[in-house]
Every structure is written in structure tokens, then in C-alpha cells.
Amino acid sequence: MNILASKKDIITNLQKNILQWQGINIPQACTVRFAGLELLEAAFPNAVFPTGAIHEFLTEQQEHAAACAGFLGGLLKVLMQQGSICLWVSTSRSVFPPALKNFGVAPDRIVFIDLPRERDILWVMEEALKCSSLAAVVAEIGDLSFTESRRLQLVVEKSKVTGFLLRKNTKKLSTTACVARWKITPLPTELEEGMPGLGFPRWNVELLKVRNGNPGSWTIEWCAGKFVPVIRESTGLSIAEEYTRQTG
Amino acid sequence: MQKRYAAIWFRHLTTDWLTLHRPELKQLPFVLAATEHNRKVITAATSLAESQGIQVGMAVADAKAMIPDLLVFDEKPAREKRLLKALAEWCIRYTPFVALDLPDGLILDISGCTHLWGGEKTYLKDIVTRLRGSGYDVRAAIADTVGTAWAVSRFGQVSPVIESGAQASALLPLPAAALRLDSNILTRLQKLGLYQIGSFIGMPRSALRRRFGEDLLLRLAQALGQTEEYIQPIVVPEPWQERLPCMEPIRTAAGIEIAIKQLLETLCLRLQQEGKGIRTAILKCYRVDGKIQQVEIGTNKASHHVQHLFKLFELKISSIAPGLGIELFTLEALKVEGVSILQEALWGGNPGLDDEKVAELLDRITAKVGTGTIHRYLPDEHYWPERSIKPAASLQEPAITTWRSDRPRPLRLLATPAPVDVTAPIPDYPPLMFRYKGEVHHIRKADGPERIEREWWLEGGEHRDYYNVEDRNGQRYWLFRSGHYDTSEKKQWYLHGFFA
């Protein structure tokens, strides 16, 4: 028994060490918690959303980019809680600042950097990530090579700033050093039976890749200023099909 | 060491200045006038006007009667002081101690300065010829005391340079007004027939004190050098500039880096001692072949942080072409502002927008990419979506009104609304479907309409009826119809944004 227990200890210790060597800091108990995302957090190592890392979001279409900005808004709300600010870097910005207020982010605490050339984005992103007074840096970019993502990851490991990359070009996807690859797509909203109009924003949050975690997909709603997971009984039908059945 | 003073008298200070700025007035008699008790009184006149009988203190109406085409300009308050200050700063080349003598003179403490010009006579001549050459009508005198120099510069007839210790003999033939006395005392002296200083200088002090007061005795003693008189020299602000000459011409980037670091260290030390910081600075590199290379940096917040400023210059080093070598570097802070000294906090707070590090980061981005890239938005009191935000003037500018969140607004807004084809059968209802970029979207749910009127005082045009719609796939859009629903005329629909 003793030998077995010690073996288990050795393996867990080894696993922890491997995580550290890979640049993944083992989060402490006091790290940031996102209300409503508990199910999602479980997919990450140690069941903690990795802040101080680079996250990658795939936004092919403009509709996806909007959904993604909504989800990001919810994350930024928590990250910017202590009054710190966020940088939003892009070449063709379409984010409408007043709408961010609905996601709990003060739009005047976001500094937008509108660059004329695509190639300056990574330089600005790297410089910004070095600045530890920022809560987060969001950048909308086209392509990202492994070397570039590795540079960003190395900077973040020192400064503990969270970086979000919104990738417009999803045709050529290669391996990156980012801690997670997300895809947020909008889902039809749902209201109570017979009510007209639109409901709360609802998204299908997909984690395509997680370093040392388990990918998965969840349905999340933004309701009354926080994330609410939507758990539905499986009907065996896709949402679109279900919808046609409901509406006839 | 015996003190020596020079007094310079500008006989027509303000009018000379006006002639300098408007050369067309040179041949014309003109005066400056100010309103005094509901009438205009002449405060200064040109020598041409004076030669025709105009005097300072005359009413403008009287002067106009004498010279009908007399030009009259308004006197601006404190103009003499401004002019004298500029002239005093120019006079710093002759002595480090220059004092203003309002309303029309300067006093120079020239002790130990004249030998550099080869004697007092040439020194004085230099001052007078230079000032006359630039267009000012001046008289000047040198003496042991301020009082005598003043008197001789105004009233002296013989020699402008009074030998050391010869004040009394120089003063004897001068009129009483040369003692800088009050007009009351002057009229009393006039009444008693004491026109010249020589006629009362020998009188017993007690008699003079009883009849004319202490002031006369004081002025007399000051002029004779029996009582010390102090002048208040002006302080010329030193420019925020540093120079670094090089023994050997510098051609490498590493050499330029070292030069910039050295210049910054000395300049920032000076700035730090005075609690100032750089807003804009310019580095000039003087090349061996006589050409000048220069780079300029700017900061969002005044800074005297050497590391940070060096980083800003470092980004620009590549644009300096050293050619055959650089022999002199100068660094000048063009715009300097007070630095708010931050209190050291024991606990790490989160100052957000006031943070030094954020300001430094934005400086670096501006230096690399150029100006006009950094935006921050504040709410503006307009319903029209394009005008509902305004760019903030600075990083610290607070929002005056709160952000509205009562109406739904899309997270992504198109810069210009994209026209879409729709099928909308019923008036004032959202469309059934629309086509955007060749793709058909069947609308399942909709909210609205929200009518937003154009602000007619800013621009004309149709109002917009906005609908938030959701298509079959759950994608949410912000559509609007421009203008009222009308059967006779087809109204265009537009897509304006995407909801989350």
C-alpha cells in the first residue's frame, strides 16, 4: 500500500512540475472566479480559468465576432473589476463602445488603438502585454504563427496580463502556444412561451483546444449582468431542427 | 570694489515699438492715448509729434485741433513692462544684473563688466548704438550710484560717463527733477526758486527736512552714494537644453545611444530638482558636413524618467543618418510641465488611467506608430448612434454623463449602414427576410421599432426605424428602415450592426 501511495504522490508531483515547466502557473485559491462559468472552468487544468495567458478566439463571420465580443465583455467585466484598464488593438475596429456597458464594462476604461498596418498589431500587443498595470489586451489579428504566439506567451508569463486574440482568418490554423482556442457562435434566444421579441444573448461556447484540459462545448446565456449556463435535456435534435419543430 | 551703474532711458519706448512693428508709421506723427475721466489723454507721443507741439498729458481733442490728421492708438495696460522685460533680457549680454526702472528705463549693475568691452566709454557706446540701430531712441549714462546715473541719463548735457566719486559735481547743474522726486516737492522747489540741485544741495539738512520732508534727503543721499540703493535684477529662465560635444565624430548607433543617455541623465536631473517633466523634446545632431539631423519625441504625461524617455528616443535612432559623423548633440525640452509627484504606496493599488506605466506604454506606441492611433471614447448626449460617442481629449478626462444602457445597442456597428433587400409585407412590422452579402436570412424573432429622429439642427434627412431581429440560426442584427413606410415609394432598408 505504502509503495502505491508514494508512487501516486510521485506522479502527481511530476505532473505539477511538467505544468510549471510548460509555463502554466498553478493557480492559487484567490484567483479570479467567473460567476456562471463553473462548468466551463472545469475544462481547464486545476479547474481554474487561466488568467495571465493568451486565449485565441476564432471569429470567421461578423456575427461570430459580435458574439465573441459579448462573451469577452463578460470576461473583461471581472478582469477589470479593480478599476484597471484594457487595451483593444485592431486595424479595422467595429466595436461600438456604448454596447459594452450592457456587459458590465465601462467603455471609457477601454483604450482603443487603431493601427494603419496589420504588422504593427503584434508589436503593440507585445509591448502592451509587458505593462503589468493593464487588466487585459484584446487584439484583432489575421494570421498568427507559432513563433509569434510563443513570444506573446513568454511575455505574459512574466507580466501576468491576460491576452485575447480574435482571429479573423480561420482558413489556415496552425498550432499556437495559446492556452486555449475558443469559438463562440450565437444561438437562438429563448423566451417564455408566447412572449414576443428577443431574449437574452445566448451563445454556443466551444473550447476547441485547451492545453492540459478537456475540450468541450457549452450553452451560455448573458442574463442580468452575469453568465448563466443553459442546461437542456437532450432531445437528440440539433437546435435548428428543434426550432423548426417548435415554430412549425 | 566700487560699484558702477548704468541707466538706460527709452525716450519713446511704446511709440518706438509700434513703429518697429508697423514701419508705415515711420513718417507720420502719432500718439497713444488712454481714457481718463471720460476723456482721452495722450500717454505717449512720437518725437515727430512732440516737435509739432504735442505733449504727454494733453487731451486728444486738443492735439487733434493742432494736427488734424494725427493718428491715435489705444494704449494697452502694462505694455511698457512687457517691453522693458524683453529689453532687459536682451541686456543680459552686458551684465548679469539688469533691473527694470518703470515706466521707461533700465538699470544695469555693470561693476566689473566694462573691461570686457575695453572701458566704460566703449561699453556705453556699444549699448547705445545697438539699441539705436534696432530703432529705439535711447540715452544712457554711467555713474557710481543709481541716482546719479538716472539723473545724467535724463538731464546730463556734458558727458554720459561720470568718474568715480564725482557725483556731486555732476549733479550741481542739473534740475531738481533729476532727483526722482515727487511732483509736490518739485512744485514747492520751483516756487522757492530752487531750480537746480546746486542751489539747495549745500543747505542744512534740518532745514531741508522741515520744508520738503525726508524723501528729498533720501534721494539726495542715494544720488551722492551716502545711502545704499538696491536694485531688483530680473531672473532669466534658463532653457531646458543640454549639449554634448564629441571628441571624435560619432557614426554608430551604439555611440548615439550613449550620447542620448548622457544628455537625458543630466537634463532629467535638472528637471527632477525643479519638479518638472518633459512633454516634447528635440534631439539635434550636428554632423561634420554641416547638416543637422533631428528627431522629436512627445509624451502623453510630463515625465523625467530617463529609462522611459530613452526608450522613446531608441525607437527613432534608426532615422538618424550620421553621415561622416556627428560632432555635437543637443537635447532641448521644448515643452515642460510640472510633474505630479506620486505618493509611494505600501500596497499595490490600481490607479487605472492615471497609471504612470500606462502613460509610458501609450507614449511608446505613439512614438512607434504615429499620432492619431490612440482613442478613448466618452458618452455624448445624442440619440443618433454615430454621434452617441465622442473621442476623449485626454486619458484622464472623466465622463460627464453616464453611459446609457436602457436601449439595446449592437456590439459591432458598421461604419456606414449597408443597404439590404428585404421582404416586409406589413407596414411598421419587421421584415420577414433580408438578403445581406448574397445570403438570405429568415427572421424568426424581432423587437422594435425604435424610432431615432435625425437632429434637424445638425443635418437634414429621414428618420430611422430600428428593429433588432434574430434569424433562423440565432444570429442577431440591427436593421432599420429609412423614413416612413410608404406604398407609393419603396423605402430602403439597411443593416447597421450585429448584436452579441
Side-chain angles (χ1 to χ4, degrees), chain B residues 333-364:
Chain B
L334 298 175
K335 201 170 156 197
V336 170
E337 273 179 13
V339 176
S340 52
I341 296 158
L342 289 178
Q343 193 172 354
E344 293 277 334
L346 280 175
W347 52 91
N350 228 334
L353 290 164
D354 298 327
D355 200 320
E356 200 95 331
K357 282 188 201 157
V358 174
E360 289 182 3
L361 167 72
L362 296 181
D363 286 346
R364 283 202 297 280

Side-chain angles (χ1 to χ4, degrees), chain B residues 76-145:
Chain B
K76 281 194 192 126
R79 185 192 266 163
E80 306 96 14
K81 192 172 178 187
R82 216 183 58 240
L83 291 175
L84 280 178
K85 191 133 194 278
L87 286 164
E89 277 170 19
W90 179 82
C91 283
I92 286 289
R93 65 184 62 197
Y94 294 108
T95 164
F97 302 105
V98 183
L100 302 191
D101 174 27
L102 286 170
D104 55 0
L106 292 176
I107 304 285
L108 279 61
D109 182 348
I110 58 164
S111 322
C113 295
T114 48
H115 71 276
L116 297 169
W117 275 263
E120 287 180 347
K121 273 221 164 72
T122 46
Y123 181 85
L124 202 64
K125 204 176 156 196
D126 192 66
I127 294 178
V128 171
T129 45
R130 269 173 188 264
L131 282 172
R132 282 194 184 144
S134 61
Y136 286 102
D137 185 8
V138 294
R139 279 174 59 107
I142 290 178
D144 269 2
T145 61

Side-chain angles (χ1 to χ4, degrees), chain B residues 157-174:
Chain B
Q157 300 288 342
V158 192
S159 161
V161 179
I162 307 300
E163 292 301 314
S164 189
Q167 296 90 292
S169 56
L171 285 173
L172 286 178
L174 299 183

Side-chain angles (χ1 to χ4, degrees), chain A residues 84-99:
Chain A
S84 46
I85 65 165
C86 163
L87 237 62
W88 195 295
V89 193
S90 72
T91 48
S92 55
R93 179 169 51 84
S94 60
V95 173
F96 189 49

